Amino acid sequence: MKLTLTNKIIIGFILGLVLGEFFFLYFSPEVSHDLGAKVQIVSKIFLRLIKMIVGPLVFCTLVVGIAKLGDFKAVGRIGIKTIGYFYFATILSLVTGLVVVNITQPGSLQSWPKPAAGTETGIDASKAKTMEDFILHIFPDSFFKALAENEILQIVIFSLFFGVALGSIGEVGKRLIHVIENLAEVIFKMVNYVMEVAPYAVFAAMTTVVANKGLSILISYGYLMLCFMGGLLFFTVIVLWVICLVNGIPYWKLLKELKEALLISFSTASSEASFPQTIAALEKFGCSRRIVGFVLPLGYSFNLDGSMLYMTFATGFIAQAYGVHLSLEQQITMLLTLMITSKGIAGVPRASLVIIAGTLTMFNLPAEGIALLLGVDPFLDMGRTVTSVAGNGVATCVVSKWEGEFNPPLAD
C-alpha cells in the first residue's frame, strides 16, 4: 500500500522524536547539539525551498484574482472586512490567553527558579518595530527586493496595484492574465515536488528540537505545557468552531482538509512551511482563489491567533512566577497594548518573545523572566503555529462567505 504524504509526515515525526531522544540520552550535550545541528540542514533546505515558492505564488494567485475583479472599490471592501475580522480574532485570542493564565495560575502553583538579573535571553526588545516603521515597511521600494527578501506584505501591496492595473487595460490585460494563470499552475507543480521533501524535513526538525532539549523537559514543564496547550485547544476547538458555526462553515471538514498543512506547521514550527498546502486546501474546500490569495498572506502577518494567545499567557505567567499581581486595569492595558504592538512583528525571528520582552518592561517586570520559557519555547511554538494556521483558514473561509464566494463541499 502506497503511503500518503500525511502518513509519511507522521512517520517522520515519530522517528525524529526517537532519534532526537537517543542523541540526548546517549551523548554529551555538546555532541547531541552538534548532531542535531547536522541533521537540521534537511529542514533548513525545505524551508528555503518553501520561501523560494511563496513569493511568486502569492503574486500569481493575487494578481489573477484582482485582475479578474478589476475594481479598487471591491478590493477596499474585501480589505476592510478582512482587517475587521483579524482584529476581532486578535481580541478573542488575547482574551483567551489572559483568561487561561488567570484560571490555571501556572506561575503560582509551581516554584520557578528566578533568572538572575542580566541573564542572557537572546531576545532584544528593541527589534520590535514602531507603528511608523511597520506602516512604512508595508510599502515596497522595489518589487524585486521584496521578492528576494520574501516580504509577503510588500508583495501583496505590489500585487494589488498590478492586478487592478492589469484588469483595466482590456484585451492586452486578458492575455497577460492567462499567462500568469499558467505560471501559477507551474508553481503549484513545483509545490508538489517540494512537498516530497516535507517528511524528511519534519524528521530533521523534530530530531534537532529533541536532541537539544530532550523529552524530559516536557515533564518538568508539564503543568505549564498542559495549561498553554489546553488554552490553544480551547481556542481551536471551541472558539474557531463557534465562529464557523455562526457563519455556516463546516469547521470539522475544514480541519480535515487542512490536516497536512497543520501537521507540517506543527512539526516544523513554521506557518510559512505549510503556506502552499494551505492555499491548495482552502481552494479545494470551496474558497475562491482571489479571496485566498488576498486574505491568507495578510493573515500571516496580521492574524497569528496562536502567537496572540501566547503573548498574554506568557506575560501573565512570568508575572505570577515573580509574585507580581497584575490588577484588572493593568491586564486590560496589557491586552490593548498587545493588540496594537503585535501588528508590527512580521518578519522578526521569535517575534512573540520580542513583543513579550517589551511588554514586561512596561509593567516593571524583569525581562530576564523570558529565560523561564526559553527551554520549552520550541515545543510551545509548535502548538501556537498550528492554531495560527487554523485561524487563518477560518478567516479565509469567513471572508469568502461574506463575499458570497464560498462553495463548501457537499455533505457526505
Side-chain angles (χ1 to χ4, degrees):
M1 184 182 71
K2 189 176 180 181
L3 292 172
T4 64
L5 179 62
T6 303
N7 291 334
K8 290 178 181 177
I9 290 171
I10 292 172
I11 291 170
F13 181 88
I14 294 170
L15 292 177
L17 287 177
V18 172
L19 183 61
E21 185 67 2
F22 174 78
F23 287 165
F24 183 78
L25 292 175
Y26 293 98
F27 295 96
S28 67
E30 294 78 13
V31 173
S32 179
H33 181 81
D34 188 51
L35 289 170
K38 284 182 169 64
V39 175
Q40 192 182 22
I41 191 170
V42 180
S43 62
K44 286 182 176 179
I45 289 171
F46 174 71
L47 291 175
R48 279 175 174 258
L49 290 173
I50 289 293
K51 288 180 179 180
M52 172 185 75
I53 292 170
V54 166
L57 190 59
V58 170
F59 172 75
C60 291
T61 53
L62 189 51
V63 164
V64 170
I66 298 300
K68 287 184 175 179
L69 186 69
D71 183 0
F72 244 138
K73 288 182 180 177
V75 173
R77 183 186 69 244
I78 296 169
I80 290 171
K81 288 179 180 178
T82 301
I83 297 300
Y85 174 85
F86 286 168
Y87 269 101
F88 169 71
T90 294
I91 292 170
L92 287 180
S93 51
L94 288 170
V95 169
T96 301
L98 212 51
V99 170
V100 169
V101 79
N102 277 298
I103 291 175
T104 58
Q105 295 283 318
S108 302
L109 297 182
Q110 186 173 342
S111 178
W112 297 95
K114 310 298 186 294
T119 298
E120 181 56 46
T121 63
I123 306 299
D124 184 2
S126 65
K127 287 183 181 178
K129 296 182 179 75
T130 64
M131 188 54 68
E132 181 183 354
D133 291 337
F134 180 58
I135 291 171
L136 289 175
H137 183 72
I138 291 174
F139 299 94
D141 50 14
S142 166
F143 172 61
F144 297 103
K145 181 183 176 186
L147 270 179
E149 296 179 355
N150 224 39
E151 295 285 357
I152 299 299
L153 277 177
Q154 294 184 5
I155 295 170
V156 168
I157 294 297
F158 179 85
S159 301
L160 289 175
F161 280 98
F162 192 89
V164 171
L166 196 58
S168 67
I169 60 175
E171 197 59 39
V172 175
K174 288 181 181 178
R175 291 199 294 270
L176 190 50
I177 290 169
H178 184 64
V179 171
I180 296 175
E181 276 186 306
N182 291 337
L183 181 59
E185 292 301 317
V186 173
I187 294 170
F188 271 112
K189 191 65 178 175
M190 290 174 64
V191 169
N192 292 336
Y193 297 147
V194 172
M195 293 316 296
E196 292 297 321
V197 185
Y200 306 99
V202 167
F203 166 75
M206 290 311 304
T207 300
T208 303
V209 170
V210 179
N212 288 340
K213 306 295 180 183
L215 292 175
S216 57
I217 196 171
L218 301 182
I219 298 172
S220 56
Y221 279 85
Y223 185 64
L224 171 67
M225 293 276 294
L226 186 66
C227 296
F228 180 66
M229 294 300 185
L232 291 178
L233 194 64
F234 174 81
F235 187 87
T236 305
V237 173
I238 304 298
V239 176
L240 293 181
W241 170 70
V242 170
I243 291 172
C244 287
L245 188 67
V246 170
N247 288 280
I249 297 165
Y251 181 57
W252 307 114
K253 288 183 181 295
L254 171 61
L255 288 187
K256 186 177 179 182
E257 202 65 58
L258 286 170
K259 66 179 183 295
E260 283 185 5
L262 296 174
L263 264 173
I264 292 168
S265 298
F266 181 80
S267 306
T268 60
S270 169
S271 52
E272 198 173 55
S274 65
F275 188 86
Q277 291 292 100
T278 308
I279 288 179
L282 290 172
E283 288 182 6
K284 185 179 176 185
F285 188 64
C287 300
S288 76
R289 177 169 286 192
R290 74 185 182 99
I291 299 294
V292 173
F294 182 81
V295 176
L296 202 56
L298 287 178
Y300 275 63
S301 293
F302 288 99
N303 191 45
L304 301 171
D305 294 333
S307 295
M308 300 300 106
L309 195 155
Y310 183 58
M311 287 178 190
T312 46
F313 180 91
T315 306
F317 162 73
I318 292 169
Q320 291 169 7
Y322 278 90
V324 177
H325 173 72
L326 294 177
S327 66
L328 181 62
E329 292 79 6
Q330 286 177 310
Q331 293 191 42
I332 291 173
T333 302
M334 176 176 70
L335 190 148
L336 295 174
T337 303
L338 286 170
M339 190 173 71
I340 298 169
T341 57
S342 63
K343 300 307 175 194
I345 66 175
V348 180
R350 305 181 87 176
S352 301
L353 293 177
V354 172
I355 299 298
I356 292 166
T359 307
L360 290 175
T361 56
M362 282 181 56
F363 296 96
N364 298 317
L365 292 166
E368 294 84 6
I370 284 195
L372 289 172
L373 294 165
L374 291 181
V376 78
D377 186 66
F379 297 99
L380 300 179
D381 200 10
M382 294 175 188
R384 60 183 186 251
T385 303
V386 167
T387 301
S388 295
V389 172
N392 280 319
V394 170
T396 307
C397 291
V398 168
V399 176
S400 292
K401 188 72 183 286
W402 289 348
E403 283 295 300
E405 298 185 29
F406 179 58
N407 299 297
L410 297 174
D412 294 333

